[in-house]
Amino acid sequence: MAFEHINIRKIVATALSNNAIIVDVRNAERFCQGHIPMAINLPLDRIERKQVNLPKGRTLIVYCDTGGASIQAACILSDMGYKVINCIGGLKNYNASLTK
């Protein structure tokens, strides 16, 4: 289980520079209320059940509301063989516009 951490304020720039997939691990309802641009929704409960169908050749950048769920997701995804970057702070520290 090895992955790096970044500040959530750097998520979009990091995703673009690494051709990474931004993964919102909150539930679908929270995702629909607003999410980081370019993010896909893959709730933590699906990750816990290993219902993940993302390309292993791409880096995954995970985030949630506060940082707790994303670190759990990062651990599981890393153990599954994905290259993962975890965002510290969660959406509560993200200071840019969200997409609906």
Side-chain angles (χ1 to χ4, degrees):
M1 158 177 76
F3 50 89
E4 64 181 284
H5 301 273
I6 61 167
N7 185 299
I8 195 156
R9 293 178 183 148
K10 298 180 181 177
I11 190 169
V12 173
T14 302
L16 291 171
S17 66
N18 289 284
N19 190 30
I21 300 170
I22 299 175
V23 180
D24 184 321
V25 303
R26 301 173 303 150
N27 66 38
E29 182 180 329
R30 298 283 296 133
F31 180 80
C32 289
Q33 290 173 357
H35 56 273
I36 292 173
M38 303 184 312
I40 63 163
N41 185 224
L42 180 60
L44 177 60
D45 64 333
R46 286 189 49 209
I47 295 169
E48 290 173 330
R49 293 191 306 268
K50 298 196 171 36
Q51 295 176 334
V52 180
N53 189 21
L54 296 171
K56 294 254 175 125
R58 303 268 305 273
T59 299
L60 307 180
I61 304 177
V62 295
Y63 76 92
C64 62
D65 280 323
T66 61
S70 68
I71 197 143
Q72 291 175 16
C75 289
I76 295 166
L77 291 166
S78 179
D79 286 345
M80 291 174 66
Y82 287 95
K83 181 176 182 203
V84 183
I85 299 172
N86 177 58
C87 288
I88 297 170
L91 271 183
K92 68 178 184 140
N93 293 319
Y94 184 71
N95 59 354
S97 297
L98 299 177
T99 300
K100 290 189 178 183

